[in-house]
Amino acid sequence: AQRVTQPEKLLSVFKGAPVELKCNYSYSGSPELFWYVQYSRQRLQLLLRHISRESIKGFTADLNKGETSFHLKKPFAQEEDSAMYYCALSVTAGGFKTIFGAGTRLFVKA
Amino acid sequence: EAQVTQNPRYLITVTGKKLTVTCSQNMNHEYMSWYRQDPGLGLRQIYYSMNVEVTDKGDVPEGYKVSRKEKRNFPLILESPSPNQTSLYFCASSLQGARRSGKLFFGSGTQLSVL
């Protein structure tokens, strides 16, 4: 079965510290992975996707098929990074679906 | 402004009283989808639509109906709401069409409480 696991519900770091939000997936096909972010009082929005291999707001994420992971990283966290982060997997098995993890709330302390 | 619009933002109802949550997008997107968000469970897909008159079940479709008569609208219908449908609902759309790697655009959410 397809599944996305985000093991940390809450992650708290100090400003300037590195941050890594973990995401593991389960999917037998070729995965397409995304990170979505929800800032306070804003709608959920795309942060980045693995096919683009881009860096957005200093965040990067590398797909590791061997470890079935797609961890989100930033070398120096900022207070404005505080938000809810969701890892998502797009699959075509049984229809076109996007499967979300339970989310990780990142809190960056001053 | 390109966006997905959901209405209402908040809704309190009673068990068994039919309700509809509307969703509209102005981006000419082919793909639209409904999710519910519950604490500790993230977003779970209820129904999705690949195009007009094409809908399919997601992971938690029980108790919900949808229709896609026009490209821009994708209403979510609860024929007989029950308390376990109390949740935060999100509508989303994507240009993807036949391509699965589509960026999802989300509405602002509808907080539903069923008493």
Side-chain angles (χ1 to χ4, degrees), chain A residues 9-85:
Chain A
K9 289 185 179 179
L10 173 67
L11 188 60
S12 182
V13 301
F14 282 102
K15 177 183 173 182
V19 62
E20 181 180 52
L21 288 81
K22 291 184 168 53
C23 172
N24 289 90
Y25 67 91
S26 173
Y27 180 48
S28 57
S30 181
E32 295 204 45
L33 289 144
F34 306 80
W35 276 99
Y36 284 85
V37 60
Q38 189 173 29
Y39 301 103
S40 179
R41 297 190 181 86
Q42 294 186 28
R43 34 184 96 191
L44 205 62
Q45 58 187 286
L46 179 70
L47 180 62
L48 54 80
R49 49 188 144 180
H50 91 273
I51 57 169
S52 302
R53 300 188 65 81
E54 57 203 342
S55 173
I56 304 292
K57 298 184 179 183
F59 285 98
T60 59
D62 290 319
L63 175 60
N64 185 323
K65 291 187 178 180
E67 296 183 358
T68 60
S69 68
F70 188 56
H71 303 327
L72 184 67
K73 300 176 183 178
K74 185 170 183 176
F76 307 103
Q78 303 299 314
E79 289 181 76
E80 55 265 30
D81 296 328
S82 295
M84 193 74 178
Y85 291 81

Side-chain angles (χ1 to χ4, degrees), chain B residues 9 32 94:
Chain B
R9 286 295 306 275
M32 297 185 75
S94 170

Side-chain angles (χ1 to χ4, degrees), chain B residues 25-81:
Chain B
Q25 50 89 9
N26 61 2
M27 295 170 280
N28 201 35
H29 284 172
E30 293 183 354
Y31 182 91
M32 297 185 75
S33 183
W34 276 102
Y35 297 86
R36 59 177 290 173
Q37 183 183 39
D38 300 290
L41 297 177
L43 280 80
R44 293 180 293 168
Q45 191 166 30
I46 303 170
Y47 269 95
Y48 65 94
S49 170
M50 294 296 296
N51 214 322
V52 175
E53 302 291 2
V54 181
T55 63
D56 209 344
K57 296 178 181 178
D59 292 320
V60 287
E62 295 78 20
Y64 304 95
K65 284 176 58 177
V66 293
S67 69
R68 188 91 182 273
K69 294 185 171 61
E70 309 164 278
K71 200 171 190 177
R72 63 183 291 126
N73 296 322
F74 190 46
L76 179 69
I77 304 156
L78 284 73
E79 294 270 1
S80 183

Side-chain angles (χ1 to χ4, degrees), chain B residues 1-2 5 60:
Chain B
E1 180 188 357
T5 303
V60 287

